[in-house]
Amino acid sequence: MNLPKDFIEYTRRLMGEELYAAFEKGMQEEAPVSIRLNPFKLNTAQVCVKDRETDVPWCRNAMFLKSRPNFTFDPMLHAGLYYVQEAASMFVDHVLREVVKKPVRILDLCASPGGKSTCAYAALPAGSLLFSNEPIRQRANILNENVLKFGVPDIIVTNNYARDYQQSKLQFDVILTDVPCSGEGMFRKDAGAIDDWSMKKVEECARLQREIVSDIWSCLKPGGLLIYSTCTFNAHEDEENVAWIAKELGADFIEIPTEKAWNIMGSLIDKNPVYRFVPGKTRGEGLFMAVLRKYGEPADMNEERHLKEIKAIHEKALKKLHVLSHGPLPDMMKGRQTLPDHSKALSVTADLHAYPHVEVDYQQAIAYLRTEAVTLKADASRGIVLLTYRDFPIGFAKNLGNRANNLYPQAWKIKSSHIPEDNNIVIE
């Protein structure tokens, strides 16, 4: 791996020789593979994961794998039973379990592709409402797909900028800002990130990050929590920015207890409590995270008032924001027939008893996920049927008898025509 000269010089000064040597060695090693099970669709205590190595210690229902499967060709991934996520970014699970003890309204401001949002939702107390937002439309569509596959009802997916939220005057107990960064933590996985890096980009990102947090700050309630994170190593986007937020916008740092065995690093320039994942020291890619509490006292609110406010907020959001989904999307009319939206098949709350269930084998499931026509067994019900693979819903089809019309979304289909011969199944 050929790292940029300016990056090497700066990072060696920042980390010191001992840590930089460990980091440099770690960057030459193969990136670990990790997944997180969906506890709303699986009994995670009874799941057997093929090639499981060890648990991710800072996240429930997450584990490292010994090798990288061909995830694309596992129907259970497309059914939302698990999510492929880099282990360090799962640290948000531990953070939220430490600092959130009652239902909250939370915003994940820069959420695509959805790993931190779905991880955060699983860590929150029941009754919480999560707004999962992505400002870039193409990335927002990917976010929406992954949230709909996750299948839970209380995530609202939006496609807005921070200033849109500011104008909406919505208020949040917690705001997660996984801000756009120079991407140094992705060097090991993405050669393009190396080619795209420069000190100029670092400076531009640091300024943009301050602007984003400043724009959203008024949406954070007094006493509310800001979780700031990047996937980069330099202090300009990390320690310097969170120190600026605390001083200029008004917040205190919150210390999060961690285990020594996790090898999470602290600040490299000051004494503020922050959390650094450094390859060669911590198992995972590069991540920086800090938790700040906004000055002020949170308002007391009983449960009844909280539920009324959530309903009012949802109605307000529909009017003020570009909402892509809030739970499964409505049925569609095609001619005179009503067709269920695919998201209904993946929802944990949708009533699917109205549709005959038809179990398919692996080859049929892959054909379906490629949006190909599928021939079902002769005794399968005619009309709209719910296809299942290993008893888990994967989507709808219209069975005509001699063939079944495929209702899988074209935008979500598996594009590859080649199926690897093995290592396609993650959950046994």
Side-chain angles (χ1 to χ4, degrees):
M1 181 185 301
N2 295 316
L3 297 174
K5 180 181 177 182
D6 288 347
F7 172 82
I8 293 173
E9 292 178 352
Y10 171 83
T11 308
R12 177 178 274 122
R13 290 197 306 271
L14 177 67
M15 293 184 174
E17 291 297 332
E18 183 179 351
L19 178 57
Y20 184 80
F23 163 74
E24 190 174 45
K25 183 176 182 294
M27 292 294 281
Q28 304 303 323
E29 297 171 351
E30 188 174 347
V33 181
S34 50
I35 65 168
R36 180 171 42 79
L37 302 177
N38 185 342
F40 303 100
K41 292 189 174 184
L42 290 168
N43 183 340
T44 58
Q46 297 180 3
V47 170
C48 179
V49 175
K50 180 182 178 182
D51 220 21
R52 179 176 186 158
E53 182 183 352
T54 185
D55 291 341
V56 175
W58 47 81
C59 181
R60 294 186 190 178
N61 304 316
M63 59 222 61
F64 292 103
L65 304 183
K66 296 176 184 177
S67 62
R68 177 172 288 276
N70 297 301
F71 289 115
T72 298
F73 297 94
D74 184 357
M76 303 184 90
L77 172 69
H78 299 274
L81 302 182
Y82 68 92
Y83 189 93
V84 183
Q85 185 175 7
E86 192 280 309
S89 65
M90 299 181 195
F91 185 60
V92 70
D93 178 277
H94 175 72
V95 168
L96 286 170
R97 291 183 192 277
E98 288 291 330
V99 298
V100 176
K101 303 300 182 183
K102 61 182 181 180
V104 293
R105 187 161 59 252
I106 177 174
L107 168 65
D108 185 356
L109 185 61
C110 310
S112 185
K116 285 192 177 69
S117 279
T118 52
C119 186
Y121 183 89
L124 294 171
S128 297
L129 179 65
L130 190 154
F131 282 67
S132 183
N133 177 72
E134 172 55 47
I136 308 303
R137 180 55 194 247
Q138 185 175 6
R139 289 173 54 83
N141 289 336
I142 296 171
L143 169 66
N144 196 41
E145 175 184 343
N146 286 326
V147 169
L148 289 175
K149 286 178 177 177
F150 193 62
V152 298
D154 291 325
I155 302 181
I156 299 177
V157 181
T158 62
N159 172 214
N160 291 91
Y161 286 93
R163 59 179 175 270
D164 299 323
Y165 270 91
Q166 183 187 63
Q167 293 170 4
S168 76
K169 302 188 184 303
L170 293 171
Q171 293 282 291
F172 296 91
D173 305 287
V174 182
I175 297 180
L176 170 60
T177 53
D178 186 30
V179 286
C181 68
S182 58
E184 296 165 357
M186 295 292 103
F187 283 177
R188 185 164 58 172
K189 294 176 65 175
D190 183 4
I194 297 176
D195 297 335
D196 195 41
W197 184 91
S198 68
M199 286 304 297
K200 181 180 179 182
K201 182 176 182 180
V202 168
E203 294 168 0
E204 291 172 349
C205 287
R207 287 195 297 271
L208 175 62
Q209 291 152 1
R210 294 185 184 192
E211 290 174 6
I212 290 172
V213 174
S214 297
D215 284 346
I216 204 64
W217 194 249
S218 63
C219 292
L220 184 62
K221 293 179 180 180
L225 297 174
L226 178 80
I227 302 174
Y228 177 97
S229 69
T230 74
C231 60
T232 204
F233 300 114
N234 70 80
H236 305 310
E237 299 176 69
D238 295 343
E239 286 96 340
E240 292 176 17
N241 263 3
V242 292
W244 181 89
I245 293 167
K247 180 180 179 182
E248 299 299 326
L249 301 183
D252 293 316
F253 283 86
I254 301 297
E255 188 166 359
I256 305 298
T258 61
E259 298 292 333
K260 186 177 180 180
W262 298 353
N263 292 322
I264 299 173
M265 310 298 293
S267 174
L268 297 179
I269 67 170
D270 54 34
K271 295 183 179 180
N272 291 326
V274 301
Y275 307 91
R276 279 183 168 273
F277 288 70
V278 179
K281 295 291 290 186
T282 316
R283 195 164 188 201
E285 297 299 344
L287 178 86
F288 173 91
M289 189 171 287
V291 184
L292 300 101
R293 187 182 301 279
K294 185 176 182 178
Y295 289 162
E297 293 296 324
D300 290 331
M301 189 178 301
N302 61 36
E303 185 174 355
E304 182 179 358
R305 183 183 169 193
H306 174 74
L307 293 174
K308 287 182 179 179
E309 186 174 292
I310 282 181
K311 183 179 179 181
I313 287 297
H314 178 217
E315 294 172 354
K316 189 175 180 181
L318 290 174
K319 296 176 182 178
K320 298 286 186 178
L321 300 172
H322 183 202
V323 176
L324 301 185
S325 68
H326 182 198
L329 298 171
D331 294 346
M332 304 168 289
M333 290 297 299
K334 189 172 183 179
R336 296 182 177 180
Q337 186 173 23
T338 300
L339 299 179
D341 188 84
H342 179 73
S343 57
K344 180 185 286 187
L346 305 181
S347 171
V348 300
T349 58
D351 182 5
L352 300 177
H353 295 293
Y355 306 98
H357 292 205
V358 179
E359 179 75 3
V360 296
D361 61 23
Y362 178 78
Q363 296 296 332
Q364 290 174 306
I366 293 299
Y368 175 75
L369 294 168
R370 284 175 165 163
T371 66
E372 299 170 359
V374 179
T375 300
L376 304 178
K377 55 188 179 182
D379 62 349
S381 298
R382 302 295 192 266
I384 303 299
V385 297
L386 178 70
L387 303 186
T388 62
Y389 172 73
R390 293 171 59 183
D391 294 327
F392 291 101
I394 61 171
F396 296 105
K398 184 178 180 181
N399 188 24
L400 305 177
N402 59 332
R403 74 177 194 282
N405 288 346
N406 197 318
L407 301 181
Y408 193 74
Q410 284 287 331
W412 295 13
K413 73 176 184 179
I414 297 175
K415 297 179 175 61
S416 174
S417 60
H418 168 69
I419 303 177
E421 292 183 1
D422 57 11
N423 203 21
N424 303 341
I425 303 300
V426 174
I427 299 174
E428 294 183 314

